[in-house]
């Protein structure tokens, strides 16, 4: 497709389980970003990839959160031992790189921890 | 560090009214500035951007001017429509640090 694709669109899981969220960026975009949107915290940056490297992972809230990107394309965000405070919409964005280029967002994965 | 302060909402206006949503920022250097919009049930979309001082971004009748002297990027529209009802986010991205820093968002409702 032409846009950023995220899957699943919704995920409900029990506290303590691990989850994997997937992001497929726009073809040719070298930069990929993960954000989290929650009622209490607004839109928060999590991690940024340039190619397969992550020069900025300063927004990951704890060591339960990790992300990787392979082949300069698809990225996976993994949350281990989920907690209720992890409930949020996880957004992925991609761009052609550089701070003056707009980031194009996917529709997000709504994660609910029971 | 970088920060964005955005006008608190919610904002309710009548159709054809003039809209201003205030946004001010704190950043070192010369950030790029953006307005994103999130329509009900949809994802974040870029509305407009400006990458240097005095630039004016515009799209769909919305405008915002990058004012370095007042560190502001206020969003304006001369005549709003019901279809403009959405949440609007002001954001910045700084050179060498590409992540977006967002404001808290302003929910806009236009009534016929």
């Amino acid at each position: 497709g032409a846009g950023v694709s995220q899957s699943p669109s919704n995920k409900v899981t029990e506290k303590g389980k691990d989850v994997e969220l997937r992001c497929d960026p726009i073809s040719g975009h070298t930069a990929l970003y993960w954000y989290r949107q929650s009622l209490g915290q607004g839109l928060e940056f999590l991690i940024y990839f340039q190619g397969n490297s992550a020069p900025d992972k300063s927004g990951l809230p704890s060591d339960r959160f990790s992300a990787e990107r392979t082949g300069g394309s698809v990225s996976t965000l993994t949350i281990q031992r989920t907690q209720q405070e992890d409930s949020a919409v996880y957004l992925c964005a991609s761009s052609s790189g550089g701070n003056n280029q707009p980031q194009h967002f996917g529709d997000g994965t709504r994660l609910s921890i029971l | 560090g970088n920060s964005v302060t955005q006008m608190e909402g919610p904002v309710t206006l009548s159709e054809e009214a003039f809209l201003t949503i205030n946004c001010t920022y704190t950043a070192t250097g010369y950030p790029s500035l953006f307005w994103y919009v999130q329509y009900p049930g949809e994802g974040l979309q870029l509305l407009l951007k400006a990458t240097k001082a005095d630039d004016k971004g515009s799209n769909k009748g919305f405008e915002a001017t990058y004012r370095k002297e007042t560190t502001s990027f206020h969003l304006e529209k001369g005549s709003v429509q019901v279809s403009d009802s959405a949440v609007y986010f002001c954001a910045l991205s700084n050179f060498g640090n590409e992540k977006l820093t967002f404001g808290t968002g302003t929910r806009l409702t236009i009534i016929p």
Side-chain angles (χ1 to χ4, degrees):
Chain A
V4 176
S5 177
Q6 291 188 246
S7 62
S9 54
N10 282 283
K11 177 73 176 178
V12 181
T13 192
E14 293 180 349
K15 176 182 170 182
K17 302 287 190 184
D18 298 352
V19 295
E20 281 191 356
L21 312 180
R22 177 189 168 103
C23 173
D24 208 332
I26 292 172
S27 178
H29 277 186
T30 57
L32 185 148
Y33 313 80
W34 285 97
Y35 296 87
R36 180 166 73 171
Q37 185 174 25
S38 57
L39 276 177
Q41 302 297 322
L43 274 157
E44 306 172 276
F45 166 79
L46 297 177
I47 187 169
Y48 152 56
F49 286 93
Q50 180 61 44
N52 292 336
S53 301
D56 187 353
K57 51 180 80 171
S58 62
L60 294 178
S62 76
D63 58 7
R64 297 186 295 105
F65 287 72
S66 62
E68 65 174 11
R69 189 180 185 194
T70 55
S73 181
V74 172
S75 176
T76 302
L77 177 69
T78 301
I79 310 173
Q80 295 179 307
R81 305 180 304 281
T82 52
Q83 304 294 313
Q84 288 189 330
E85 62 262 28
D86 300 335
S87 296
V89 177
Y90 289 81
L91 297 171
C92 177
S94 70
S95 81
S96 54
N99 76 301
N100 60 353
Q101 296 302 314
Q103 296 180 21
H104 301 268
F105 284 80
D107 288 339
T109 294
R110 182 175 298 277
L111 177 64
S112 301
I113 310 300
L114 301 178
Chain B
N2 299 332
S3 68
V4 176
T5 301
Q6 192 173 338
M7 178 176 170
E8 291 288 329
V11 174
T12 302
L13 294 172
S14 297
E15 205 166 20
E16 299 183 4
F18 184 86
L19 168 71
T20 301
I21 300 178
N22 289 336
C23 171
T24 58
Y25 68 89
T26 301
T28 55
Y30 301 94
S32 292
L33 302 174
F34 305 86
W35 277 99
Y36 281 84
V37 59
Q38 191 168 34
Y39 297 104
E42 298 185 17
L44 271 172
Q45 304 174 23
L46 177 71
L47 180 59
L48 53 83
K49 71 171 188 176
T51 58
K52 61 182 187 295
D54 300 325
D55 266 3
K56 178 186 283 188
S58 60
N59 187 25
K60 299 183 180 181
F62 290 89
E63 292 183 341
T65 301
Y66 188 143
R67 301 285 188 201
K68 189 163 179 64
E69 64 276 14
T70 54
T71 61
S72 64
F73 193 54
H74 305 321
L75 183 68
E76 296 183 336
K77 186 174 185 180
S79 177
V80 292
Q81 305 301 311
V82 172
S83 57
D84 294 327
S85 298
V87 182
Y88 293 81
F89 293 91
C90 186
L92 72 82
S93 178
N94 221 340
F95 180 76
N97 185 353
E98 296 192 16
K99 66 184 180 185
L100 283 169
T101 299
F102 287 92
T104 52
T106 301
R107 182 176 298 277
L108 174 67
T109 301
I110 308 300
I111 53 177

